[in-house]
Amino acid sequence: MIVMSAIVIAVILGVVLVGAALVIGLMTVQRRRRLQQRFGPEYDRLVGQRDSKLKADSELAGRERRVHDLDIQPLTDSARAGYAVRWAGIQEQFVDTPADAVTSSQVLIAAVMNERGYPADDDEQVLADLSVGHAGTLDRYRKAEEISRSAAAGTASTEDLRVAMIDYRALFRDLVGETTDAGSPAAEPVHSSRANDGAAPTASDAQLAETHPDINADDPVTDQPDLLPSRSTEGELTR
């Protein structure tokens, strides 16, 4: 009788343990799927870097917790308008001094991040923080930063600088257009070329194309709603 009771207890414990393992496994799969959807290419990059999905899951979850505690705030309408005008000026600057324009883009993006509440003291931490709500444009920002370093060393070509401007613009639009807090990030934009959807390039994009032959107004970066005011509205925004 005692032996039978021990067997029954062992079976029950085995069932409980198997059930618990299944629940934990299911929760892990669900969390991983959510992280993959949220971080996109950043998830795959980190898995390759850490050589472990579990380590990547843990690190990305930690990034979410950190950013949730940062008190990230959306920009006010007046701040958004002011930054849009400043960006339009940088695009004009590119015509005569491309390297300076790229540097100005870098500085402007840092200003936007600072105003929204992102600490900007450590480059790696900046990338980690941005990955939580802006994973869709993070790789482009990395490339732009790399080109900026080449520009500072005097080794960046005009084409390199053009690419940096386009990639900085992608993150700039993402940051300025963000209207939700860190706890409820907006969905990443769906990218589609204007050349494919038939939409006309915006005034600012067309201007950049006309004033510099290396700028293409139909570049896929113009897939998001334009945040840059036309010349006719710049005066109103700065009054």
Side-chain angles (χ1 to χ4, degrees):
M1 189 70 177
I2 296 177
V3 174
M4 288 295 294
S5 297
I7 294 175
V8 170
I9 292 173
V11 170
I12 292 174
L13 286 175
V15 171
V16 170
L17 290 174
V18 170
L22 289 174
V23 170
I24 293 173
L26 180 60
M27 291 175 62
T28 299
V29 170
Q30 290 176 333
R31 183 179 74 159
R32 180 168 297 159
R33 184 176 300 154
R34 180 184 63 78
L35 290 172
Q36 288 172 329
Q37 291 175 343
R38 181 167 196 175
F39 288 92
E42 179 68 6
Y43 181 90
D44 295 331
R45 188 195 70 82
L46 196 60
V47 168
Q49 192 176 74
R50 300 290 181 264
D51 197 27
S52 168
K53 288 186 176 181
L54 285 175
K55 290 180 180 179
D57 292 348
S58 177
E59 182 168 335
L60 293 175
R63 292 184 188 182
E64 288 182 318
R65 290 191 296 271
R66 170 184 160 81
V67 171
H68 184 272
D69 293 335
L70 285 180
D71 191 29
I72 305 299
Q73 297 295 325
L75 296 175
T76 63
D77 289 343
S78 60
R80 291 180 74 249
Y83 283 124
V85 171
R86 288 174 63 182
W87 180 264
I90 290 172
Q91 289 197 153
E92 293 179 357
Q93 181 185 18
F94 185 89
V95 180
D96 298 318
T97 54
D100 290 343
V102 169
T103 299
S104 296
S105 300
Q106 186 181 38
V107 171
L108 182 59
I109 287 174
V112 176
M113 288 191 292
N114 182 68
E115 183 160 346
R116 290 205 55 192
Y118 288 99
D121 298 331
D122 181 270
D123 290 343
E124 285 301 316
Q125 190 60 60
V126 166
L127 291 170
D129 292 342
L130 286 175
S131 71
V132 177
H134 306 280
T137 52
L138 193 61
D139 278 347
R140 303 182 76 162
Y141 178 60
R142 281 195 179 96
K143 293 174 184 176
E145 289 286 272
E146 183 177 348
I147 293 173
S148 289
R149 289 189 287 271
S150 297
T155 59
S157 66
T158 301
E159 172 61 16
D160 291 335
L161 297 173
R162 182 192 76 88
V163 171
M165 281 289 293
I166 291 172
D167 287 343
Y168 273 138
R169 182 172 60 183
L171 178 61
F172 172 78
R173 288 178 167 177
D174 201 12
L175 283 167
V176 175
E178 182 68 63
T179 57
T180 57
D181 58 30
S184 290
E188 294 294 346
V190 177
H191 297 285
S192 61
S193 171
R194 288 182 183 272
N196 293 332
D197 63 18
T202 65
S204 298
D205 297 331
Q207 178 188 352
L208 191 58
E210 291 171 2
T211 53
H212 198 286
D214 291 329
I215 299 295
N216 179 7
D218 290 328
D219 192 275
V221 75
T222 59
D223 51 6
Q224 300 181 37
D226 189 39
L227 299 175
L228 306 181
S230 65
R231 287 181 178 276
S232 62
T233 60
E234 286 182 20
E236 297 177 5
L237 292 174
T238 54
R239 288 175 187 170

